Amino acid sequence: MKYLLLTCLLLLFFVLSLFIGSIYIPPLEILSVLTGGEASRGVYSFIILSTRLPQALTAILCGAALSTSGLLLQTAFRNPLAGPGVFGVSSGASMGVAFVMLAFGGTMSLTGVGASGMLAVLLGAFLGAIAVTILLLVFSAFVRGTTMLLIVGIMTGYLASSVVALLNFWASAEGLRTYVLWGMGSFSAIPARFMPFYIYMVIACLLLSLLLIKPLNLLQLGERYAKSLGLHVENVRRLLLLLTGMLTAITTAFCGPVSFIGLAVPHLARLVFRTADHRQLLPNTMLIGAIVALGCQLICQLPVWSTLLPINVVTPLLGAPTVLYVILKKK
């Protein structure tokens, strides 16, 4: 019953995101465009098919990806406050973008596209996130304890943030402004030609995460018990790090460092379904993550703002109270 209600809520938010925006479009015009007809004004078709629909799909996939990353990390490290941002992967992506936008400032060319262009920004974010993920994988071969590896991730994030702060200090005013806007997060920045790649990569990683349900359930019982049942804990942890790194890298590269969704949504899923079984928890975490991200996007595009708000303006309103609740509950 809960799953059905959440599915209906996701569909409702998806429809509302197509009908609501800073520019009013008559509902009949929207229905005409969605059913393959022609709108009375060409700009209506462009707004619906090239702006609102891609934004809604981006939000759904980003929310599912980040919430899945958070759940995988919280389970693997048995830490309720673990998340993509805590392990420094988001900071690594931010560092990659900072190098592109602030260090080179558009003077370097990359496969025919200026370094300040979308392709260079995407590659910078992706390479930065993957570099941090590889670094964590290397440390995981030497650091056995989950707590120590968590500390390594936090310190790596601090180092990346320090590099970003240094680049901000030397950056031009225009470069700094561009970087700050990117850092606020947005579901509207993906060009149409990159959408298929984004969709396929996120869906592939989500499907791979579903194959890890059994190892995740074993990890919850403790490392010793999992090993006694034949689970190679170190290899599973490395696989989880690689998978979460890929999910975070893809979403951060295309949407910016979206905050709190990866940290808060897994706890919301546990509160709603009151289960620790990943056969239910993992797919429902994806569903709730998609709903939360789409709901935040819907708030950002309300007509009262007269413009599209950055996504990180809204996500802390949900994420911060959830994290505080978890801290108080766990004492």
Side-chain angles (χ1 to χ4, degrees):
M1 186 64 180
K2 292 179 180 178
Y3 182 80
L4 180 61
L5 290 174
L6 288 173
T7 303
C8 292
L9 184 60
L10 177 63
L11 293 175
L12 175 63
F13 280 0
F14 181 77
V15 172
L16 288 176
S17 66
L18 298 179
F19 280 77
I20 296 176
S22 57
I23 297 176
Y24 174 74
I25 301 177
L28 292 178
E29 298 280 357
I30 297 176
L31 292 174
S32 176
V33 173
L34 293 177
T35 54
E38 292 290 334
S40 60
R41 297 175 61 183
V43 69
Y44 288 164
S45 298
F46 177 80
I47 292 174
I48 296 167
L49 298 178
S50 300
T51 303
R52 293 183 185 178
L53 183 59
Q55 285 176 5
L57 294 175
T58 301
I60 289 172
L61 292 174
C62 180
L66 291 178
S67 57
T68 299
S69 297
L71 179 62
L72 296 181
L73 290 173
Q74 289 170 15
T75 302
F77 293 92
R78 305 184 71 186
N79 189 317
L81 297 180
V86 174
F87 276 84
V89 181
S90 297
S91 298
S94 299
M95 182 178 65
V97 174
F99 270 110
V100 170
M101 290 185 177
L102 305 179
F104 299 106
T107 59
M108 182 185 69
S109 294
L110 191 60
T111 64
V113 180
S116 58
M118 176 59 69
L119 180 58
V121 170
L122 294 177
L123 285 175
F126 188 80
L127 292 176
I130 292 300
V132 172
T133 302
I134 292 174
L135 183 64
L136 290 175
L137 288 173
V138 171
F139 273 104
S140 69
F142 303 98
V143 178
R144 297 298 178 184
T146 56
T147 302
M148 293 305 297
L149 189 58
L150 180 63
I151 293 174
V152 169
I154 294 173
M155 293 302 104
T156 303
Y158 276 124
L159 288 173
S161 298
S162 178
V163 174
V164 171
L166 183 63
L167 291 172
N168 282 331
F169 181 77
W170 294 107
S172 64
E174 182 61 28
L176 183 59
R177 178 180 179 275
T178 304
Y179 178 75
V180 169
L181 290 176
W182 175 85
M184 291 182 179
S186 174
F187 295 142
S188 61
I190 304 181
R193 58 177 175 160
F194 291 116
M195 276 297 295
F197 173 80
Y198 171 77
I199 293 172
Y200 295 147
M201 288 295 294
V202 172
I203 291 177
C205 290
L206 291 178
L207 292 176
L208 285 175
S209 68
L210 291 173
L211 298 177
L212 298 174
I213 287 177
K214 184 177 180 180
L216 288 169
N217 280 336
L218 291 177
L219 283 175
Q220 287 191 129
L221 304 175
E223 289 190 14
R224 291 183 179 179
Y225 188 76
K227 288 181 179 179
S228 69
L229 294 177
L231 184 69
H232 199 299
V233 175
E234 288 76 15
N235 286 345
V236 171
R237 188 180 296 125
R238 293 189 189 104
L239 182 58
L240 290 174
L241 277 175
L242 180 61
L243 187 57
T244 54
M246 286 292 295
L247 284 169
T248 307
I250 294 166
T251 54
T252 305
F254 284 96
C255 307
V258 179
S259 62
F260 280 109
I261 289 180
L263 182 59
V265 169
H267 296 295
L268 290 177
R270 293 186 184 99
L271 289 173
V272 172
F273 290 93
R274 299 191 178 279
T275 181
D277 187 350
H278 284 76
R279 289 176 295 179
Q280 298 182 45
L281 188 59
L282 183 54
N284 288 317
T285 297
M286 295 179 186
L287 179 59
I288 294 178
I291 292 171
V292 169
L294 194 56
C296 291
Q297 172 63 21
L298 190 58
I299 294 173
C300 289
Q301 67 185 49
L302 288 174
V304 294
W305 312 125
S306 73
T307 186
L308 187 65
L309 293 180
I311 197 67
N312 282 341
V313 173
V314 179
T315 51
L317 299 178
L318 172 70
T322 303
V323 174
L324 289 174
Y325 171 79
V326 172
I327 291 174
L328 293 175
K329 184 180 179 181
K330 299 291 183 180
K331 298 182 180 180

